[in-house]
Amino acid sequence: MAFPNTEVRAGLLSKRTLVVASHAVERAALAGDRAEPAIVLALFQRLPYFLREAEVYRRIGALASVTVVGVVSDVRPDLPAGVTPVLLRSGEELAREWSVVVLTPTFGAYVVATDLEELDPGGSTLEASRLFQGRWAFRREEAYAEAVRLRDALGDRMPPDVRRRFDSVLNGITAPPAGEVERRAEAALRHLASQLVTARDATELSASRAGEEMRDALDPWTGLHTVDSVNAWLGRQLADTVRLGLVVIRVPGLSDFVDVHGPSAAVHTENNIADVLRVHLRPVDRAARLNGDEFVLVLPGTSPQTTHAVADRVLGALRGLHDTYPYLPVIAEVRVQHTRDRPFDIGGLGARRAPVTPQRPYTLSGTFDEEEWATLISH
């Protein structure tokens, strides 16, 4: 069977689009005839993402000839009966792939996308902002090609009996596809999915804004987020697919400004600092006050170079505050870190930070060393 070129419909996809498309493909699998041989193969990146759909795959596993699910894990997960787990290594290309393939002798559909590890700057939440390069379609020939590609990529990680049943379904696909019917049905489905994604995005954004007004706690002096609100926004059980750039800013003696310079000067200085931090935020970022002297910027999906550049710009702007009322010099220091560690307490970046010593300075665009970072996230 010929392997069609699917790149012509490849594009930048949001997580919302992938969720809608994946659910459509999964529902198509559930609508199949039990008597017709079927392959369902899905890559979920991390187990928490699969667990949200476990009931759907329990039903699929009871219908399909072969149901295979790949997740990044060191131990074999306990999946529903009829679902074969395949373990992926965190560093391999398949670990970045979000895929759902459904294939029968008369039907085929698929979603295939690669995690770009980038975020939509206009996104309102961390997970919803994730971006992928991918494609999806309801075309049997293309689904066949994706099934073969994934079978070969998984190799002997797929148990022999499962692979035999997989190949049996592939070998039974001999009739030509209903090309014109597929194209028309797919065009209608794409339009419907696009409208659904747009409507859900609008609803989610509205709900997110309303929720933020009610639940996001702000520091009363600066208007920045509190530690608790940032921890809630990050989520305690979030899968580690999103890299976080962290910039911790320390202004030694800031908590003593009230006593040294008076309450008015202290409040103005704190608000000037907060304004500097907010200037460098995208909608998906967060700035929080850790304690009297320290702040943090949480920058999801940023590269080390970008995070260090933000840290340098923030430091330069803070050092220039002596030209802004109340004209007090601000001596600021920053520390930078990139992490996929989950979960960890943002508050630990300040309250449990190792003390500054001549051997462990707190300097411009420095990076947390491994020992210090391990201490922070272990609490």
Side-chain angles (χ1 to χ4, degrees):
M1 178 176 288
F3 287 70
N5 178 8
T6 61
E7 292 301 316
V8 294
R9 291 195 305 278
L12 191 65
L13 301 177
S14 67
K15 180 177 178 179
R16 173 63 70 193
T17 298
L18 289 178
V19 169
V20 171
S22 297
H23 286 173
V25 172
E26 290 160 356
R27 293 313 184 273
L30 289 171
D33 184 348
R34 185 186 294 270
E36 185 177 38
I39 291 169
V40 178
L41 197 160
L43 302 184
F44 274 87
Q45 293 191 291
R46 302 296 190 271
L47 186 59
Y49 296 135
F50 171 79
L51 294 178
R52 300 172 187 171
E53 309 296 333
E55 174 58 23
V56 171
Y57 277 81
R58 182 193 66 78
R59 295 164 58 196
I60 289 175
L63 288 172
S65 308
V66 182
T67 304
V68 177
V69 167
V71 294
V72 173
S73 181
D74 295 326
V75 297
R76 181 184 174 91
D78 184 18
L79 302 188
V83 179
T84 300
V86 173
L87 305 187
L88 306 178
R89 298 176 295 275
S90 60
E92 68 175 305
E93 283 300 310
L94 290 179
R96 297 174 55 209
E97 187 167 323
W98 171 327
S99 298
V100 182
V101 179
V102 174
L103 182 65
T104 78
T106 59
F107 173 82
Y110 69 93
V111 178
V112 172
T114 300
D115 190 347
L116 296 177
E117 299 188 0
E118 298 175 2
L119 299 179
D120 177 358
S124 59
T125 64
L126 193 61
E127 275 292 314
S129 300
R130 295 172 62 200
L131 294 175
F132 297 77
Q133 187 74 25
R135 56 193 180 273
W136 64 280
F138 278 65
R139 303 195 184 193
R140 197 196 65 186
E141 280 192 302
E142 295 177 14
Y144 183 100
E146 297 297 347
V148 171
R149 177 184 66 85
L150 289 171
R151 179 203 63 183
D152 293 345
L154 294 176
D156 59 9
R157 285 179 285 183
M158 192 182 295
D161 178 62
V162 172
R163 185 170 180 121
R164 281 194 297 271
R165 286 185 280 131
F166 197 104
D167 288 342
S168 176
V169 176
L170 292 178
N171 294 334
I173 300 175
T174 57
E180 184 61 24
V181 174
E182 288 180 335
R183 283 189 290 273
R184 290 177 181 272
E186 182 186 292
L189 185 58
R190 283 179 180 274
H191 175 73
L192 181 62
S194 175
Q195 297 299 308
L196 181 59
V197 169
T198 300
R200 286 192 174 183
D201 281 346
T203 301
E204 184 177 272
L205 181 59
S206 176
S208 175
R209 286 173 175 169
E212 285 181 1
E213 292 176 358
M214 293 184 291
R215 71 174 181 268
D216 275 6
L218 302 179
D219 174 62
W221 297 106
T222 62
L224 300 177
H225 284 87
T226 64
V227 168
D228 288 343
S229 67
V230 174
N231 280 333
W233 167 74
L234 284 174
R236 299 296 294 173
Q237 302 300 324
L238 188 68
D240 61 355
T241 49
V242 179
R243 179 181 61 238
L244 297 179
L246 303 171
V247 180
V248 180
I249 302 99
R250 178 173 178 245
V251 182
L254 180 62
S255 56
D256 297 326
F257 267 38
V258 172
D259 296 332
V260 177
H261 303 289
S264 178
V267 169
H268 276 91
T269 300
E270 290 178 349
N271 277 273
N272 289 342
I273 292 171
D275 288 342
V276 166
L277 301 185
R278 277 190 284 262
V279 164
H280 299 281
L281 297 183
R282 304 165 298 174
V284 75
D285 298 333
R286 289 292 187 274
R289 189 166 195 172
L290 297 173
N291 52 50
D293 292 341
E294 292 180 300
F295 306 83
V296 63
L297 300 181
V298 184
L299 313 173
T302 54
S303 67
Q305 295 83 358
T306 298
T307 305
H308 277 275
V310 170
D312 291 343
R313 289 197 299 271
V314 166
L315 190 64
L318 291 176
R319 288 176 173 173
L321 287 181
H322 60 80
D323 291 328
T324 302
Y325 181 83
Y327 311 112
L328 297 177
V330 173
I331 301 172
E333 304 162 336
V334 302
R335 188 73 66 86
V336 174
Q337 179 68 14
H338 282 84
T339 183
R340 293 181 185 274
D341 292 319
R342 301 290 196 282
F344 71 90
D345 179 9
I346 285 291
L349 298 176
R352 288 188 287 269
R353 179 178 50 77
V356 175
T357 67
Q359 293 74 33
R360 195 195 299 270
Y362 201 81
T363 57
L364 166 62
S365 295
T367 302
F368 288 95
D369 62 41
E370 292 183 6
E371 178 185 353
E372 184 177 9
W373 183 250
T375 300
L376 294 176
I377 65 173
S378 65
H379 288 80

